[in-house]
Every structure is written in structure tokens, then in C-alpha cells.
Amino acid sequence: MTGRIHASPEGGVNDRNAQRHRDVVSHDVPAEPLPLGPPGARCRFCGTELQHSFLDLGMSPLCQTHIEPHQLNLVEAFYPLHVWVCHGCFLVQLEEYVHPADVFTEYAYFSSYASTWLDHARLYADSVIRRFGLGDHSLVMEVGSNDGYLLQHFVRAGIPCLGIEPAANVAAEAIKRGVPTSVEFFGEDTAHEIARRSGKADLLVGNNVLAQQPHINDFVKGMKHALKFDGVITMEFPHLQRLIEGVQFDTIYHEHFSYFSFTTVERIFRHHGLVLFDVEELSTHGGSIRIYGRHVENALHPVSERVAQLRTREHTMGLDRIEGYLGFQGRVNEVKRQLLDLLIACKRADKRIVGYGAPGKAATLLNYCGIRTDFLDFTVDRNPHKQGRFTPGTHIPIVHPDRIREARPDFVLVLPWNLADEITTQLQFIRGWGGKFIIPIPHPVVA
Ligand SMILES: [Zn+2]
């Protein structure tokens, strides 16, 4: 049974609590004008001075710095996790607190450990090969190609490929599986160099990389240079509309410098001579969009009706006005209080709780909510590179998934809630001892 829970692990709804939650929400709307932005901070796209806070999550460690046992007694770096919205172009953004070279060169995320994501990659490859008639005469380039989980499908179809991946350890995995991969950061200069060395791309792919670019203008300029005259760009990234609607505050972390509406991303691409001619909405990462771009000079692909429809929907939501962005903080604070209410009630009832997963979003959620081993005995992850380590900042042990069968917990907190269907299906066996799942986002529920 799935239902909204207010502070009772048995599933009862406490009306007084519910009323209090509503009151608190209304009191969270700041009565004073919003604080001015950090001194001198300017929008990374249009250069306007940042003045409007979107969400302040306090201080947080880097989400992929899983702690090794020998580091447990050492000092740990925390950085502000404060997101601003530009009133000039409505780009939602973090300042660059950390240099990308410190984050991405030993990145622990291996795409191939998430099976939903692997199916998604295969379906995408089949669809673009057909739609754009790709073959052995084409070149497919992917920026942020990770361990080659996507390009392997083009390699198998006999289509020449080139992956560009800054994390050397991850790129090495791609090369092992036969995907040619160049270890470097992508930008205007690298794009020129790659075009000279390998030619320009018929299909230029970038999945979940746009948000990670501190120098977004340099990056999109690079895309323009690396693309053949009649080539097509596709990029996927989490959709800001879904982040706001679904209170997905834990998809915010230091590695994600920007959060995009379609309206703002279209503006950025247009500025660099690229037209977005189609867009699809996807369920990945809690709700993403896939944009299709081409050179403005190439009229081969007419702009689809879906582009205008999405633009209209975002206008209706207020994503092209500053008012559409204010008030998010209060909704996020309320999710934190509800989750803590629920976890506290579980512990008071002497229940055992463990976590499932140690994704990047877990670091934000656990740190912001202050959830440590006082609530979760441990969390599990299928990625062997994370097992034996501890979650950043909160130091919850990460162990092999088999430990759930041994520990027989009363509750499993599903941290990668975007994969909740897949995970609750895999873990159906916990029902055998009366175990239940807690899904934290968009509102904590027991399932
Ligand atoms: Zn701006």
C-alpha cells in the first residue's frame, strides 16, 4: 500500500501534524526582500549580476567523494550549496565553488551499473541510427562518453565513433570495450583540435554533461565547431520544470553548475548559432528532456510542433519570469521536515532502517536533512567501487546489496528514488519479513 505518511511509521495520518505542516509552509515564505547575491557573482551565460536566491541547501561535501576507512578521522571539505536564478535569462545556477578538474578526473560514476540507463541507451541508439540514416560513412561523437555504455551500440552497428571523456579511469573502461575515447575536457579549443584530428560529427551527443559545464558559452561554441554542416546534436539533461514540480532538490549538487528550462537552453543555443528543432520528454533522472539541435544555416530539419508546445507550457508555469522561481525554498524545507518526522517516528518505534544506493543525490539529501547512522545502519550499492567506503559528510557505511537479506530491516530508504520501480521490484523479498520501502521525493511515502 502506498500512502502519504505524517510522522507515523504504521501509516496513520495525523491531522494535527498535517495542519502544522501547512502552517509552516506559509511561514517559510520570506517576508523581507530576498538577499542580494554573492558579491560580484554574475550569470555564467548572460553576465547579469545574480540577485535572486533559488535554494540554499547550506554546506555540503562533493557528492562523489566517498570516504575510505583511513579517511574517517581526517578533515573533510564542505562547500556552499546555494543556487541562484538569473533575472536576465532565468538560468538557475551554482557558482563554481570547485574546479571541474577536481571533480571529474577520477569520477566514480560508471554508467554501466544502472540497468534502466543501459536499456535507455540501446533504444536511443536504434532510434537515431534510423531517424538520421547513420552508417559506416558517418561519425558519431559523444561528449562525456563515460565508460562507453552508449557508443558501444554504434561501434556494434559498424558506425565510426569517438568518445570524449575527462575522467581517465572511466575512459580506460570504454577503451577496453572497443570504444575509441580521448581523455580531455571539451570546449572551443578542444573542438577545433578534434575536428582537425578526426573530422566533424554527423551526430554529436551529450547526455548529462551540459549541467556540468562551468563555462557554458565555451562549451556550446565547441559544439557548434565540432558539428558537420548537416549534422545533428542531441543532448539530454534533467528538466528544471520537473525539478520544481517534483521538489527534486537532491538533484542539486556541486557537479551540476546549471539547471535548465527548455526556454533558457533554447536561448543559449540560439546565441551560438544553433536551432533546437525538436524536443522529447523522458522519464530518466526524475524527468529529463532530449533536445535536437542543428546549425541555424541548415534548414533541413523543420522546427517541430513539440518545441512550441513545451515553450508554452513553461510560460504557463512562469519559468520565463522571476516570480516563477521564488518560494521553492519553503517547499524543500517542508520535505525535509516530513522525512525527519517519519524517520524519527520509526526509530522511536524501535524499527531498523537501512538505505538503498549511494548516488550523487544521496549526498545532498543526507547532508541537507542531517541523516547519519543515527537513522540508517548502512546503505548498499551495486557498484563495487563504492562498497567498503562511506557516504560523503554523513559517513554511512556502503556495503554489498546482499547485506539487506542478512539484516532484515523494517524499512529501506530508497535514495535513487528515480529508479524506485526497478529497486522495489528487485527487493520484493523484504516483504517476506514485513519490510517496507520509504520513498523520500517528492513527498516522503511508505510503500
Ligand atoms: Zn543570465
Side-chain angles (χ1 to χ4, degrees):
M1 194 190 78
T2 303
R4 276 190 69 168
I5 299 296
H6 297 284
S8 163
E10 306 307 324
V13 174
N14 181 327
D15 289 342
R16 196 177 306 160
N17 264 337
Q19 180 58 47
R20 182 164 51 81
H21 289 148
R22 281 194 290 275
D23 292 348
V24 169
V25 171
S26 61
H27 292 155
D28 258 0
V29 178
E32 299 297 316
L34 287 158
L36 287 178
R42 292 186 175 276
C43 172
R44 67 168 46 88
F45 168 58
C46 77
T48 303
E49 200 173 331
L50 297 175
Q51 295 183 358
H52 299 277
S53 176
F54 176 66
L55 183 62
D56 186 358
L57 294 169
M59 300 290 284
S60 218
L62 299 183
C63 76
Q64 295 291 354
T65 48
H66 298 96
I67 302 294
E68 295 189 50
H70 74 269
Q71 297 172 310
L72 282 171
N73 291 342
L74 302 180
V75 69
E76 205 175 341
F78 280 61
Y79 303 87
L81 197 50
H82 193 165
V83 193
W84 301 85
V85 55
C86 170
H87 60 277
C89 69
F90 309 107
L91 181 63
V92 170
Q93 56 198 293
L94 276 177
E95 280 184 87
E96 184 186 339
Y97 297 110
V98 192
H99 192 276
D102 295 332
V103 182
F104 296 114
T105 45
E106 275 292 320
Y107 205 46
Y109 186 74
F110 286 73
S111 298
S112 297
Y113 290 106
S115 40
T116 307
W117 188 240
L118 290 184
D119 292 343
H120 176 76
R122 188 174 41 76
L123 292 172
Y124 163 81
D126 291 347
S127 123
V128 285
I129 290 172
R130 269 199 315 273
R131 180 168 175 183
F132 300 115
L134 302 173
D136 54 11
H137 55 282
S138 316
L139 175 63
V140 176
M141 233 182 252
E142 186 186 10
V143 182
S145 49
N146 206 281
D147 60 3
Y149 72 99
L150 176 66
L151 287 181
Q152 64 180 348
H153 297 291
F154 295 95
V155 169
R156 263 182 228 143
I159 301 169
C161 289
L162 177 66
I164 300 146
E165 168 57 53
N169 62 330
V170 181
E173 296 292 317
I175 292 164
K176 260 192 235 164
R177 62 168 65 159
V179 176
T181 305
S182 164
V183 179
E184 53 198 332
F185 281 96
F186 186 81
E188 195 181 1
D189 291 345
T190 12
H192 279 297
E193 175 57 25
I194 289 167
R196 196 187 54 74
R197 220 169 47 210
S198 314
K200 295 192 177 196
D202 294 273
L203 175 67
L204 181 54
V205 189
N207 289 343
N208 299 302
V209 287
L210 199 56
Q212 281 91 326
Q213 305 310 320
H215 307 296
I216 191 153
N217 288 318
D218 182 61
F219 185 85
V220 180
K221 258 186 224 165
M223 301 287 287
K224 172 93 181 162
H225 282 300
L227 187 68
K228 246 183 220 172
F229 177 77
D230 56 357
V232 169
I233 294 173
T234 79
M235 302 194 86
E236 292 175 29
F237 44 84
H239 191 187
L240 181 63
Q241 179 201 324
R242 299 290 298 275
L243 186 156
I244 294 174
E245 281 173 348
V247 206
Q248 299 169 355
F249 68 90
D250 57 345
T251 59
I252 292 169
Y253 34 83
H254 296 105
E255 289 80 344
H256 287 175
F257 298 110
S258 309
Y259 303 84
F260 300 99
S261 65
F262 179 75
T263 310
T264 295
V265 91
E266 194 181 26
R267 188 167 179 158
I268 295 170
F269 275 69
R270 198 190 313 123
H271 180 80
H272 293 290
L274 295 163
V275 168
L276 301 188
F277 65 90
D278 201 2
V279 60
E280 287 168 330
E281 292 179 76
L282 312 167
S283 61
T284 45
H285 294 286
S288 298
I289 50 177
R290 177 187 293 149
I291 55 170
Y292 291 80
R294 59 158 163 86
H295 288 291
V296 67
E297 300 85 0
N298 164 24
L300 193 64
H301 304 284
V303 178
S304 94
E305 193 54 32
R306 290 191 283 200
V307 167
Q309 283 166 354
L310 189 52
R311 225 187 267 136
T312 306
R313 174 143 42 94
E314 291 190 345
H315 172 72
T316 311
M317 266 192 77
L319 295 187
D320 52 2
R321 306 184 282 291
I322 196 70
E323 298 75 23
Y325 294 88
L326 310 179
F328 189 58
Q329 180 87 47
R331 295 173 60 208
V332 172
N333 292 350
E334 180 52 19
V335 170
K336 168 177 176 170
R337 291 175 194 134
Q338 286 181 11
L339 181 60
L340 289 175
D341 274 350
L342 175 55
L343 296 177
I344 289 167
C346 288
K347 294 313 284 183
R348 290 239 159 92
D350 214 20
K351 304 292 183 190
R352 189 161 192 204
I353 317 168
V354 305
Y356 187 96
K361 55 167 63 72
T364 298
L365 183 107
L366 298 173
N367 276 286
Y368 175 62
C369 295
I371 297 167
R372 300 183 178 79
T373 49
D374 45 356
F375 289 114
L376 302 187
D377 295 357
F378 57 80
T379 188
V380 303
D381 202 285
R382 287 163 69 187
N383 183 342
H385 300 271
K386 294 181 185 173
Q387 291 164 10
R389 298 192 180 199
F390 296 79
T391 57
T394 49
H395 295 194
I396 297 167
I398 306 168
V399 296
H400 191 279
D402 284 352
R403 284 288 293 280
I404 292 182
R405 283 182 197 276
E406 295 158 21
R408 299 166 67 91
D410 301 291
F411 292 94
V412 175
L413 174 63
V414 180
L415 293 162
W417 46 261
N418 53 308
L419 304 174
D421 288 347
E422 178 182 335
I423 291 164
T424 53
T425 305
Q426 273 170 20
L427 299 189
Q428 270 309 309
F429 59 84
I430 73 165
R431 307 284 186 199
W433 61 80
K436 291 177 180 171
F437 299 98
I438 299 173
I439 317 288
I441 304 285
H443 300 285
V445 294
V446 172

